[in-house]
Amino acid sequence: MTALVSTIAEVQQAVGRARDRNLKVGLVPTMGALHAGHVSLIRAARAETGFVVVSIFVNPTQFGPGEDFSRYPRTLEVDLDICRREGVDLVFAPAAETVYPADFHTYVEVHELQDVLCGPSRPGHFRGVATVVCKLFNIVQPAVAYFGQKDFQQARIIQQLVGDLNLPLEVRICPTIREADGLALSSRNRYLNGEQRSHATVLYRSLQEVKAAVEKGERDPVALQRHLAERITATPGAILDYAEVRSAETLRTQPRLQGDVLVAVAVKFGGTRLIDNVLLQVGD
Ligand code: PAJ
């Protein structure tokens, strides 16, 4: 049975009862418009924990002024059906005033990690993400929380905040779920028209080309970034935001690829901004 609650007291009651039954609590934070990517996180949570909480909240503080907050898809009934089918125990879908009452004044920032990659094009975005996720952790108090690699910078920022603030939970980063042609699933894919949708495969294809080049021995990040940029800018309708090859741990640039490496791209098609990445383990 999936229960739907909207207040913090109701979450705490339900989670408290689960904890009394010695159930391990898992949390999957989402903004709704659930797709197979979200479902993979729910399944990971179900496999590992005995009480799965999914939060559904389109978080206003992580959207910039020109971004899609008002038109972000809100599909609560369909989302609830998916949660029921997947055996979610509790759905927490709060009102904005519950999360951000009128006298709200505290924000969480993860410096350095929030300032690179998506940071410059989305000022304040990661501050909004870190703040809401920190609040969700405190409300639900999960033992484990699940995030998708698709938003790798977000997941790294959350890992960092959990460590820095000594939050007593584990963070799992789960693999990116893709369409058959490689496009990473995203609630924003529905904004693409047919032509944009077919050209959007350039993100995955160019990332795979970089992966192959690294496997063949390429270790120069600048050469790989140039390749990504060329492939993306040659694609009709695609506007490159960034194409970066960096340390997956620090998100800093490296003079030569070494260790855990993140290859990440952000591309706009019309008003729709898509991101994707691959992680590579690079030896000498
Ligand atoms: P949302 O975009 O709804 O994503 C919720 C979770 O699903 C995130 O951890 C995201 O990385 C993961 N996800 C999205 N697409 C995925 C895919 N194709 N494969 C695997 N996982 C995928 O990310 C957010 O919401 C918000 O920023 C949130 C963390 C909820 C804070 O408001």
Side-chain angles (χ1 to χ4, degrees), residues 28-32 35 37-38 40-41 57 59 62 72 125 129 132-133 136 146-151 154 158 174-178 184-187:
V28 181
T30 82
M31 299 203 297
H35 51 62
H38 301 108
S40 74
L41 303 183
F57 179 60
N59 173 34
Q62 70 185 77
Y72 197 85
H125 169 67
V129 168
V132 81
V133 169
L136 290 167
Y146 299 83
F147 295 89
Q149 187 193 314
K150 210 265 294 174
D151 303 279
Q154 162 173 284
I158 288 155
C174 303
T176 302
I177 305 299
R178 301 176 178 284
L185 293 191
S186 163
S187 313

PDB file of all heavy atoms in Angstrom, residues 28-32 35 37-38 40-41 57 59 62 72 125 129 132-133 136 146-151 154 158 174-178 184-187, ligand 1:
ATOM      1  N   VAL A  28      14.038   8.463  -2.192  1.00  0.00           N
ATOM      2  CA  VAL A  28      14.292   8.840  -3.586  1.00  0.00           C
ATOM      3  C   VAL A  28      13.682  10.225  -3.809  1.00  0.00           C
ATOM      4  O   VAL A  28      12.469  10.355  -3.985  1.00  0.00           O
ATOM      5  CB  VAL A  28      13.652   7.823  -4.571  1.00  0.00           C
ATOM      6  CG1 VAL A  28      13.949   8.233  -6.011  1.00  0.00           C
ATOM      7  CG2 VAL A  28      14.148   6.407  -4.304  1.00  0.00           C
ATOM      8  N   PRO A  29      14.514  11.280  -3.783  1.00  0.00           N
ATOM      9  CA  PRO A  29      13.982  12.621  -4.031  1.00  0.00           C
ATOM     10  C   PRO A  29      13.736  12.838  -5.524  1.00  0.00           C
ATOM     11  O   PRO A  29      14.604  12.530  -6.348  1.00  0.00           O
ATOM     12  CB  PRO A  29      15.091  13.565  -3.537  1.00  0.00           C
ATOM     13  CG  PRO A  29      16.046  12.701  -2.766  1.00  0.00           C
ATOM     14  CD  PRO A  29      15.930  11.335  -3.371  1.00  0.00           C
ATOM     15  N   THR A  30      12.558  13.364  -5.879  1.00  0.00           N
ATOM     16  CA  THR A  30      12.233  13.641  -7.282  1.00  0.00           C
ATOM     17  C   THR A  30      11.423  14.933  -7.387  1.00  0.00           C
ATOM     18  O   THR A  30      10.907  15.431  -6.398  1.00  0.00           O
ATOM     19  CB  THR A  30      11.385  12.522  -7.949  1.00  0.00           C
ATOM     20  OG1 THR A  30      10.006  12.708  -7.601  1.00  0.00           O
ATOM     21  CG2 THR A  30      11.832  11.134  -7.560  1.00  0.00           C
ATOM     22  N   MET A  31      11.297  15.396  -8.627  1.00  0.00           N
ATOM     23  CA  MET A  31      10.379  16.500  -8.913  1.00  0.00           C
ATOM     24  C   MET A  31       9.154  15.970  -9.662  1.00  0.00           C
ATOM     25  O   MET A  31       8.438  16.743 -10.304  1.00  0.00           O
ATOM     26  CB  MET A  31      11.086  17.589  -9.716  1.00  0.00           C
ATOM     27  CG  MET A  31      12.282  18.172  -8.936  1.00  0.00           C
ATOM     28  SD  MET A  31      12.758  19.815  -9.462  1.00  0.00           S
ATOM     29  CE  MET A  31      13.236  19.497 -11.141  1.00  0.00           C
ATOM     30  N   GLY A  32       8.922  14.664  -9.608  1.00  0.00           N
ATOM     31  CA  GLY A  32       7.754  14.090 -10.286  1.00  0.00           C
ATOM     32  C   GLY A  32       7.999  13.934 -11.774  1.00  0.00           C
ATOM     33  O   GLY A  32       9.144  13.889 -12.228  1.00  0.00           O
ATOM     34  N   HIS A  35       9.723   8.795 -14.747  1.00  0.00           N
ATOM     35  CA  HIS A  35      10.000   7.963 -15.923  1.00  0.00           C
ATOM     36  C   HIS A  35      10.892   6.808 -15.482  1.00  0.00           C
ATOM     37  O   HIS A  35      11.173   6.666 -14.273  1.00  0.00           O
ATOM     38  CB  HIS A  35      10.634   8.799 -17.036  1.00  0.00           C
ATOM     39  CG  HIS A  35      11.826   9.608 -16.599  1.00  0.00           C
ATOM     40  ND1 HIS A  35      12.975   9.029 -16.104  1.00  0.00           N
ATOM     41  CD2 HIS A  35      12.045  10.949 -16.564  1.00  0.00           C
ATOM     42  CE1 HIS A  35      13.853   9.966 -15.801  1.00  0.00           C
ATOM     43  NE2 HIS A  35      13.311  11.152 -16.057  1.00  0.00           N
ATOM     44  N   GLY A  37      13.943   6.341 -15.490  1.00  0.00           N
ATOM     45  CA  GLY A  37      15.125   6.722 -14.704  1.00  0.00           C
ATOM     46  C   GLY A  37      14.785   6.761 -13.219  1.00  0.00           C
ATOM     47  O   GLY A  37      15.498   6.200 -12.376  1.00  0.00           O
ATOM     48  N   HIS A  38      13.676   7.440 -12.894  1.00  0.00           N
ATOM     49  CA  HIS A  38      13.229   7.482 -11.491  1.00  0.00           C
ATOM     50  C   HIS A  38      12.902   6.071 -10.986  1.00  0.00           C
ATOM     51  O   HIS A  38      13.217   5.714  -9.851  1.00  0.00           O
ATOM     52  CB  HIS A  38      11.978   8.356 -11.357  1.00  0.00           C
ATOM     53  CG  HIS A  38      12.152   9.777 -11.799  1.00  0.00           C
ATOM     54  ND1 HIS A  38      11.588  10.265 -12.958  1.00  0.00           N
ATOM     55  CD2 HIS A  38      12.826  10.812 -11.247  1.00  0.00           C
ATOM     56  CE1 HIS A  38      11.897  11.542 -13.091  1.00  0.00           C
ATOM     57  NE2 HIS A  38      12.648  11.910 -12.072  1.00  0.00           N
ATOM     58  N   SER A  40      14.182   3.322 -11.820  1.00  0.00           N
ATOM     59  CA  SER A  40      15.392   2.543 -11.504  1.00  0.00           C
ATOM     60  C   SER A  40      15.892   2.892 -10.101  1.00  0.00           C
ATOM     61  O   SER A  40      16.407   2.017  -9.391  1.00  0.00           O
ATOM     62  CB  SER A  40      16.485   2.780 -12.555  1.00  0.00           C
ATOM     63  OG  SER A  40      17.063   4.059 -12.389  1.00  0.00           O
ATOM     64  N   LEU A  41      15.739   4.139  -9.689  1.00  0.00           N
ATOM     65  CA  LEU A  41      16.158   4.532  -8.329  1.00  0.00           C
ATOM     66  C   LEU A  41      15.225   3.901  -7.297  1.00  0.00           C
ATOM     67  O   LEU A  41      15.671   3.426  -6.244  1.00  0.00           O
ATOM     68  CB  LEU A  41      16.134   6.057  -8.163  1.00  0.00           C
ATOM     69  CG  LEU A  41      16.962   6.902  -9.133  1.00  0.00           C
ATOM     70  CD1 LEU A  41      16.867   8.381  -8.754  1.00  0.00           C
ATOM     71  CD2 LEU A  41      18.411   6.471  -9.133  1.00  0.00           C
ATOM     72  N   PHE A  57       8.401  16.956  -5.468  1.00  0.00           N
ATOM     73  CA  PHE A  57       8.309  18.382  -5.153  1.00  0.00           C
ATOM     74  C   PHE A  57       9.059  19.166  -6.215  1.00  0.00           C
ATOM     75  O   PHE A  57      10.279  18.998  -6.367  1.00  0.00           O
ATOM     76  CB  PHE A  57       8.910  18.651  -3.756  1.00  0.00           C
ATOM     77  CG  PHE A  57       8.877  20.101  -3.354  1.00  0.00           C
ATOM     78  CD1 PHE A  57       7.662  20.787  -3.263  1.00  0.00           C
ATOM     79  CD2 PHE A  57      10.055  20.789  -3.077  1.00  0.00           C
ATOM     80  CE1 PHE A  57       7.633  22.134  -2.901  1.00  0.00           C
ATOM     81  CE2 PHE A  57      10.029  22.134  -2.712  1.00  0.00           C
ATOM     82  CZ  PHE A  57       8.823  22.793  -2.616  1.00  0.00           C
ATOM     83  N   ASN A  59      10.830  21.978  -6.924  1.00  0.00           N
ATOM     84  CA  ASN A  59      11.462  22.871  -5.944  1.00  0.00           C
ATOM     85  C   ASN A  59      11.721  24.258  -6.541  1.00  0.00           C
ATOM     86  O   ASN A  59      12.647  24.417  -7.350  1.00  0.00           O
ATOM     87  CB  ASN A  59      12.784  22.217  -5.516  1.00  0.00           C
ATOM     88  CG  ASN A  59      13.603  23.119  -4.635  1.00  0.00           C
ATOM     89  OD1 ASN A  59      13.063  23.883  -3.849  1.00  0.00           O
ATOM     90  ND2 ASN A  59      14.917  23.030  -4.774  1.00  0.00           N
ATOM     91  N   GLN A  62      15.392  26.025  -7.019  1.00  0.00           N
ATOM     92  CA  GLN A  62      16.459  25.562  -7.912  1.00  0.00           C
ATOM     93  C   GLN A  62      16.235  25.989  -9.356  1.00  0.00           C
ATOM     94  O   GLN A  62      17.016  25.621 -10.230  1.00  0.00           O
ATOM     95  CB  GLN A  62      16.660  24.054  -7.800  1.00  0.00           C
ATOM     96  CG  GLN A  62      15.534  23.204  -8.364  1.00  0.00           C
ATOM     97  CD  GLN A  62      15.793  21.729  -8.085  1.00  0.00           C
ATOM     98  OE1 GLN A  62      15.598  21.252  -6.972  1.00  0.00           O
ATOM     99  NE2 GLN A  62      16.245  20.987  -9.100  1.00  0.00           N
ATOM    100  N   TYR A  72       7.109  23.288 -15.842  1.00  0.00           N
ATOM    101  CA  TYR A  72       7.650  21.959 -15.526  1.00  0.00           C
ATOM    102  C   TYR A  72       6.482  20.979 -15.382  1.00  0.00           C
ATOM    103  O   TYR A  72       5.481  21.289 -14.728  1.00  0.00           O
ATOM    104  CB  TYR A  72       8.465  22.006 -14.219  1.00  0.00           C
ATOM    105  CG  TYR A  72       9.362  20.794 -14.063  1.00  0.00           C
ATOM    106  CD1 TYR A  72      10.620  20.758 -14.639  1.00  0.00           C
ATOM    107  CD2 TYR A  72       8.918  19.674 -13.367  1.00  0.00           C
ATOM    108  CE1 TYR A  72      11.427  19.633 -14.523  1.00  0.00           C
ATOM    109  CE2 TYR A  72       9.728  18.543 -13.250  1.00  0.00           C
ATOM    110  CZ  TYR A  72      10.974  18.539 -13.839  1.00  0.00           C
ATOM    111  OH  TYR A  72      11.765  17.430 -13.735  1.00  0.00           O
ATOM    112  N   HIS A 125      21.189  27.504  -8.843  1.00  0.00           N
ATOM    113  CA  HIS A 125      20.526  26.208  -9.014  1.00  0.00           C
ATOM    114  C   HIS A 125      20.954  25.206  -7.937  1.00  0.00           C
ATOM    115  O   HIS A 125      20.121  24.619  -7.240  1.00  0.00           O
ATOM    116  CB  HIS A 125      20.824  25.651 -10.410  1.00  0.00           C
ATOM    117  CG  HIS A 125      20.419  24.225 -10.600  1.00  0.00           C
ATOM    118  ND1 HIS A 125      19.103  23.834 -10.608  1.00  0.00           N
ATOM    119  CD2 HIS A 125      21.154  23.093 -10.749  1.00  0.00           C
ATOM    120  CE1 HIS A 125      19.049  22.517 -10.771  1.00  0.00           C
ATOM    121  NE2 HIS A 125      20.272  22.048 -10.857  1.00  0.00           N
ATOM    122  N   VAL A 129      19.070  23.159  -4.898  1.00  0.00           N
ATOM    123  CA  VAL A 129      19.079  21.690  -4.807  1.00  0.00           C
ATOM    124  C   VAL A 129      19.614  21.261  -3.438  1.00  0.00           C
ATOM    125  O   VAL A 129      18.994  20.453  -2.734  1.00  0.00           O
ATOM    126  CB  VAL A 129      19.942  21.072  -5.929  1.00  0.00           C
ATOM    127  CG1 VAL A 129      20.188  19.591  -5.678  1.00  0.00           C
ATOM    128  CG2 VAL A 129      19.294  21.279  -7.294  1.00  0.00           C
ATOM    129  N   VAL A 132      17.077  22.037  -0.578  1.00  0.00           N
ATOM    130  CA  VAL A 132      15.875  21.199  -0.494  1.00  0.00           C
ATOM    131  C   VAL A 132      16.242  19.762  -0.125  1.00  0.00           C
ATOM    132  O   VAL A 132      15.540  19.108   0.652  1.00  0.00           O
ATOM    133  CB  VAL A 132      15.024  21.277  -1.782  1.00  0.00           C
ATOM    134  CG1 VAL A 132      15.564  20.382  -2.891  1.00  0.00           C
ATOM    135  CG2 VAL A 132      13.578  20.924  -1.485  1.00  0.00           C
ATOM    136  N   VAL A 133      17.355  19.263  -0.668  1.00  0.00           N
ATOM    137  CA  VAL A 133      17.740  17.880  -0.369  1.00  0.00           C
ATOM    138  C   VAL A 133      18.141  17.761   1.106  1.00  0.00           C
ATOM    139  O   VAL A 133      17.781  16.792   1.783  1.00  0.00           O
ATOM    140  CB  VAL A 133      18.858  17.408  -1.324  1.00  0.00           C
ATOM    141  CG1 VAL A 133      19.450  16.086  -0.873  1.00  0.00           C
ATOM    142  CG2 VAL A 133      18.307  17.279  -2.747  1.00  0.00           C
ATOM    143  N   LEU A 136      14.960  17.608   2.990  1.00  0.00           N
ATOM    144  CA  LEU A 136      14.315  16.290   2.835  1.00  0.00           C
ATOM    145  C   LEU A 136      15.026  15.237   3.696  1.00  0.00           C
ATOM    146  O   LEU A 136      14.379  14.388   4.314  1.00  0.00           O
ATOM    147  CB  LEU A 136      14.303  15.871   1.362  1.00  0.00           C
ATOM    148  CG  LEU A 136      13.363  16.682   0.469  1.00  0.00           C
ATOM    149  CD1 LEU A 136      13.653  16.427  -1.008  1.00  0.00           C
ATOM    150  CD2 LEU A 136      11.895  16.364   0.786  1.00  0.00           C
ATOM    151  N   TYR A 146      18.982   7.916  -2.817  1.00  0.00           N
ATOM    152  CA  TYR A 146      19.326   7.451  -4.170  1.00  0.00           C
ATOM    153  C   TYR A 146      19.261   8.601  -5.175  1.00  0.00           C
ATOM    154  O   TYR A 146      18.255   9.321  -5.229  1.00  0.00           O
ATOM    155  CB  TYR A 146      18.358   6.333  -4.590  1.00  0.00           C
ATOM    156  CG  TYR A 146      18.467   5.151  -3.657  1.00  0.00           C
ATOM    157  CD1 TYR A 146      17.777   5.128  -2.447  1.00  0.00           C
ATOM    158  CD2 TYR A 146      19.322   4.091  -3.947  1.00  0.00           C
ATOM    159  CE1 TYR A 146      17.908   4.071  -1.560  1.00  0.00           C
ATOM    160  CE2 TYR A 146      19.468   3.034  -3.071  1.00  0.00           C
ATOM    161  CZ  TYR A 146      18.761   3.032  -1.881  1.00  0.00           C
ATOM    162  OH  TYR A 146      18.915   1.991  -1.007  1.00  0.00           O
ATOM    163  N   PHE A 147      20.320   8.710  -5.976  1.00  0.00           N
ATOM    164  CA  PHE A 147      20.402   9.757  -6.996  1.00  0.00           C
ATOM    165  C   PHE A 147      20.900   9.146  -8.299  1.00  0.00           C
ATOM    166  O   PHE A 147      21.544   8.092  -8.292  1.00  0.00           O
ATOM    167  CB  PHE A 147      21.347  10.874  -6.532  1.00  0.00           C
ATOM    168  CG  PHE A 147      20.813  11.601  -5.325  1.00  0.00           C
ATOM    169  CD1 PHE A 147      21.112  11.149  -4.048  1.00  0.00           C
ATOM    170  CD2 PHE A 147      19.974  12.696  -5.468  1.00  0.00           C
ATOM    171  CE1 PHE A 147      20.581  11.786  -2.928  1.00  0.00           C
ATOM    172  CE2 PHE A 147      19.446  13.334  -4.356  1.00  0.00           C
ATOM    173  CZ  PHE A 147      19.744  12.883  -3.083  1.00  0.00           C
ATOM    174  N   GLY A 148      20.607   9.823  -9.412  1.00  0.00           N
ATOM    175  CA  GLY A 148      20.984   9.304 -10.717  1.00  0.00           C
ATOM    176  C   GLY A 148      22.298   9.905 -11.202  1.00  0.00           C
ATOM    177  O   GLY A 148      22.553  11.097 -11.005  1.00  0.00           O
ATOM    178  N   GLN A 149      23.093   9.090 -11.858  1.00  0.00           N
ATOM    179  CA  GLN A 149      24.344   9.582 -12.443  1.00  0.00           C
ATOM    180  C   GLN A 149      24.083  10.607 -13.543  1.00  0.00           C
ATOM    181  O   GLN A 149      24.939  11.424 -13.856  1.00  0.00           O
ATOM    182  CB  GLN A 149      25.157   8.406 -13.016  1.00  0.00           C
ATOM    183  CG  GLN A 149      26.547   8.844 -13.492  1.00  0.00           C
ATOM    184  CD  GLN A 149      27.238   7.805 -14.335  1.00  0.00           C
ATOM    185  OE1 GLN A 149      27.243   6.632 -13.971  1.00  0.00           O
ATOM    186  NE2 GLN A 149      27.812   8.221 -15.457  1.00  0.00           N
ATOM    187  N   LYS A 150      22.885  10.583 -14.124  1.00  0.00           N
ATOM    188  CA  LYS A 150      22.556  11.534 -15.187  1.00  0.00           C
ATOM    189  C   LYS A 150      22.863  12.967 -14.737  1.00  0.00           C
ATOM    190  O   LYS A 150      23.376  13.773 -15.503  1.00  0.00           O
ATOM    191  CB  LYS A 150      21.069  11.400 -15.547  1.00  0.00           C
ATOM    192  CG  LYS A 150      20.742  11.716 -16.970  1.00  0.00           C
ATOM    193  CD  LYS A 150      20.282  13.129 -17.199  1.00  0.00           C
ATOM    194  CE  LYS A 150      18.973  13.452 -16.564  1.00  0.00           C
ATOM    195  NZ  LYS A 150      18.657  14.876 -16.707  1.00  0.00           N
ATOM    196  N   ASP A 151      22.557  13.249 -13.474  1.00  0.00           N
ATOM    197  CA  ASP A 151      22.851  14.563 -12.890  1.00  0.00           C
ATOM    198  C   ASP A 151      24.062  14.391 -11.972  1.00  0.00           C
ATOM    199  O   ASP A 151      23.958  14.507 -10.756  1.00  0.00           O
ATOM    200  CB  ASP A 151      21.636  15.068 -12.124  1.00  0.00           C
ATOM    201  CG  ASP A 151      20.411  15.134 -13.024  1.00  0.00           C
ATOM    202  OD1 ASP A 151      20.286  16.105 -13.768  1.00  0.00           O
ATOM    203  OD2 ASP A 151      19.604  14.171 -13.021  1.00  0.00           O
ATOM    204  N   GLN A 154      25.123  17.184  -9.506  1.00  0.00           N
ATOM    205  CA  GLN A 154      24.171  17.240  -8.387  1.00  0.00           C
ATOM    206  C   GLN A 154      24.479  16.132  -7.367  1.00  0.00           C
ATOM    207  O   GLN A 154      24.527  16.378  -6.154  1.00  0.00           O
ATOM    208  CB  GLN A 154      22.749  17.074  -8.937  1.00  0.00           C
ATOM    209  CG  GLN A 154      21.705  16.687  -7.915  1.00  0.00           C
ATOM    210  CD  GLN A 154      20.308  16.713  -8.502  1.00  0.00           C
ATOM    211  OE1 GLN A 154      19.752  17.775  -8.691  1.00  0.00           O
ATOM    212  NE2 GLN A 154      19.725  15.566  -8.800  1.00  0.00           N
ATOM    213  N   ILE A 158      25.715  16.509  -3.437  1.00  0.00           N
ATOM    214  CA  ILE A 158      24.979  15.939  -2.305  1.00  0.00           C
ATOM    215  C   ILE A 158      25.891  15.032  -1.483  1.00  0.00           C
ATOM    216  O   ILE A 158      25.870  15.089  -0.253  1.00  0.00           O
ATOM    217  CB  ILE A 158      23.693  15.262  -2.805  1.00  0.00           C
ATOM    218  CG1 ILE A 158      22.734  16.370  -3.230  1.00  0.00           C
ATOM    219  CG2 ILE A 158      23.076  14.382  -1.721  1.00  0.00           C
ATOM    220  CD1 ILE A 158      21.725  15.981  -4.232  1.00  0.00           C
ATOM    221  N   CYS A 174      23.161   5.928  -8.955  1.00  0.00           N
ATOM    222  CA  CYS A 174      22.703   4.816  -9.804  1.00  0.00           C
ATOM    223  C   CYS A 174      22.892   5.160 -11.283  1.00  0.00           C
ATOM    224  O   CYS A 174      22.827   6.329 -11.669  1.00  0.00           O
ATOM    225  CB  CYS A 174      21.235   4.531  -9.524  1.00  0.00           C
ATOM    226  SG  CYS A 174      20.920   4.160  -7.785  1.00  0.00           S
ATOM    227  N   PRO A 175      23.088   4.121 -12.135  1.00  0.00           N
ATOM    228  CA  PRO A 175      23.407   4.354 -13.556  1.00  0.00           C
ATOM    229  C   PRO A 175      22.313   5.131 -14.307  1.00  0.00           C
ATOM    230  O   PRO A 175      21.139   5.060 -13.949  1.00  0.00           O
ATOM    231  CB  PRO A 175      23.519   2.943 -14.137  1.00  0.00           C
ATOM    232  CG  PRO A 175      23.604   2.019 -12.991  1.00  0.00           C
ATOM    233  CD  PRO A 175      23.049   2.696 -11.791  1.00  0.00           C
ATOM    234  N   THR A 176      22.729   5.817 -15.346  1.00  0.00           N
ATOM    235  CA  THR A 176      21.807   6.568 -16.201  1.00  0.00           C
ATOM    236  C   THR A 176      20.977   5.608 -17.051  1.00  0.00           C
ATOM    237  O   THR A 176      21.537   4.723 -17.710  1.00  0.00           O
ATOM    238  CB  THR A 176      22.607   7.511 -17.119  1.00  0.00           C
ATOM    239  OG1 THR A 176      23.377   8.380 -16.288  1.00  0.00           O
ATOM    240  CG2 THR A 176      21.700   8.331 -18.024  1.00  0.00           C
ATOM    241  N   ILE A 177      19.669   5.812 -17.051  1.00  0.00           N
ATOM    242  CA  ILE A 177      18.777   5.009 -17.899  1.00  0.00           C
ATOM    243  C   ILE A 177      18.542   5.776 -19.202  1.00  0.00           C
ATOM    244  O   ILE A 177      18.315   6.998 -19.186  1.00  0.00           O
ATOM    245  CB  ILE A 177      17.433   4.740 -17.181  1.00  0.00           C
ATOM    246  CG1 ILE A 177      17.673   4.092 -15.810  1.00  0.00           C
ATOM    247  CG2 ILE A 177      16.508   3.896 -18.051  1.00  0.00           C
ATOM    248  CD1 ILE A 177      18.377   2.748 -15.845  1.00  0.00           C
ATOM    249  N   ARG A 178      18.607   5.048 -20.330  1.00  0.00           N
ATOM    250  CA  ARG A 178      18.586   5.694 -21.645  1.00  0.00           C
ATOM    251  C   ARG A 178      17.496   5.137 -22.542  1.00  0.00           C
ATOM    252  O   ARG A 178      17.051   4.006 -22.361  1.00  0.00           O
ATOM    253  CB  ARG A 178      19.947   5.473 -22.341  1.00  0.00           C
ATOM    254  CG  ARG A 178      21.097   6.021 -21.560  1.00  0.00           C
ATOM    255  CD  ARG A 178      22.454   5.725 -22.200  1.00  0.00           C
ATOM    256  NE  ARG A 178      23.488   6.343 -21.381  1.00  0.00           N
ATOM    257  CZ  ARG A 178      23.753   7.645 -21.375  1.00  0.00           C
ATOM    258  NH1 ARG A 178      23.093   8.444 -22.196  1.00  0.00           N
ATOM    259  NH2 ARG A 178      24.666   8.151 -20.569  1.00  0.00           N
ATOM    260  N   ALA A 184      19.600  10.057 -22.817  1.00  0.00           N
ATOM    261  CA  ALA A 184      19.291   9.861 -21.394  1.00  0.00           C
ATOM    262  C   ALA A 184      17.855  10.290 -21.124  1.00  0.00           C
ATOM    263  O   ALA A 184      17.419  11.354 -21.585  1.00  0.00           O
ATOM    264  CB  ALA A 184      20.253  10.684 -20.544  1.00  0.00           C
ATOM    265  N   LEU A 185      17.109   9.477 -20.392  1.00  0.00           N
ATOM    266  CA  LEU A 185      15.729   9.855 -20.055  1.00  0.00           C
ATOM    267  C   LEU A 185      15.763  11.118 -19.208  1.00  0.00           C
ATOM    268  O   LEU A 185      16.588  11.258 -18.310  1.00  0.00           O
ATOM    269  CB  LEU A 185      15.041   8.738 -19.266  1.00  0.00           C
ATOM    270  CG  LEU A 185      14.773   7.434 -20.000  1.00  0.00           C
ATOM    271  CD1 LEU A 185      13.857   6.556 -19.155  1.00  0.00           C
ATOM    272  CD2 LEU A 185      14.142   7.672 -21.345  1.00  0.00           C
ATOM    273  N   SER A 186      14.830  12.015 -19.494  1.00  0.00           N
ATOM    274  CA  SER A 186      14.703  13.256 -18.729  1.00  0.00           C
ATOM    275  C   SER A 186      13.284  13.761 -18.879  1.00  0.00           C
ATOM    276  O   SER A 186      12.679  13.627 -19.948  1.00  0.00           O
ATOM    277  CB  SER A 186      15.680  14.309 -19.270  1.00  0.00           C
ATOM    278  OG  SER A 186      15.305  15.588 -18.814  1.00  0.00           O
ATOM    279  N   SER A 187      12.770  14.342 -17.812  1.00  0.00           N
ATOM    280  CA  SER A 187      11.420  14.932 -17.884  1.00  0.00           C
ATOM    281  C   SER A 187      11.368  16.031 -18.936  1.00  0.00           C
ATOM    282  O   SER A 187      10.306  16.375 -19.426  1.00  0.00           O
ATOM    283  CB  SER A 187      11.031  15.506 -16.526  1.00  0.00           C
ATOM    284  OG  SER A 187      11.324  14.577 -15.511  1.00  0.00           O
TER     285      SER A 187
HETATM  286  P1  PAJ B   1      14.488  14.960 -10.973  1.00  0.00           P
HETATM  287  O1  PAJ B   1      14.977  15.648 -12.196  1.00  0.00           O
HETATM  288  O2  PAJ B   1      13.043  14.578 -10.869  1.00  0.00           O
HETATM  289  O3  PAJ B   1      15.358  13.679 -10.763  1.00  0.00           O
HETATM  290  C1  PAJ B   1      15.197  12.877  -9.613  1.00  0.00           C
HETATM  291  C2  PAJ B   1      16.311  11.849  -9.599  1.00  0.00           C
HETATM  292  O4  PAJ B   1      16.201  11.011 -10.737  1.00  0.00           O
HETATM  293  C3  PAJ B   1      17.701  12.504  -9.643  1.00  0.00           C
HETATM  294  O5  PAJ B   1      18.573  11.846  -8.738  1.00  0.00           O
HETATM  295  C4  PAJ B   1      18.127  12.273 -11.085  1.00  0.00           C
HETATM  296  O6  PAJ B   1      19.527  12.218 -11.264  1.00  0.00           O
HETATM  297  C5  PAJ B   1      17.470  10.930 -11.360  1.00  0.00           C
HETATM  298  N1  PAJ B   1      17.329  10.720 -12.807  1.00  0.00           N
HETATM  299  C6  PAJ B   1      16.774  11.552 -13.730  1.00  0.00           C
HETATM  300  N2  PAJ B   1      16.898  11.041 -14.971  1.00  0.00           N
HETATM  301  C7  PAJ B   1      17.549   9.853 -14.843  1.00  0.00           C
HETATM  302  C8  PAJ B   1      17.989   8.840 -15.764  1.00  0.00           C
HETATM  303  N3  PAJ B   1      17.782   8.956 -17.076  1.00  0.00           N
HETATM  304  N4  PAJ B   1      18.627   7.765 -15.263  1.00  0.00           N
HETATM  305  C9  PAJ B   1      18.867   7.640 -13.928  1.00  0.00           C
HETATM  306  N5  PAJ B   1      18.472   8.553 -13.013  1.00  0.00           N
HETATM  307  C10 PAJ B   1      17.831   9.644 -13.460  1.00  0.00           C
HETATM  308  O7  PAJ B   1      17.049  15.873  -9.766  1.00  0.00           O
HETATM  309  C11 PAJ B   1      16.019  16.337  -9.314  1.00  0.00           C
HETATM  310  O8  PAJ B   1      14.780  15.877  -9.671  1.00  0.00           O
HETATM  311  C12 PAJ B   1      16.002  17.434  -8.279  1.00  0.00           C
HETATM  312  O9  PAJ B   1      17.110  18.274  -8.478  1.00  0.00           O
HETATM  313  C13 PAJ B   1      15.982  16.917  -6.815  1.00  0.00           C
HETATM  314  C14 PAJ B   1      17.231  16.080  -6.493  1.00  0.00           C
HETATM  315  C15 PAJ B   1      14.720  16.082  -6.570  1.00  0.00           C
HETATM  316  C16 PAJ B   1      15.960  18.131  -5.845  1.00  0.00           C
HETATM  317  O10 PAJ B   1      14.864  18.937  -6.080  1.00  0.00           O
END
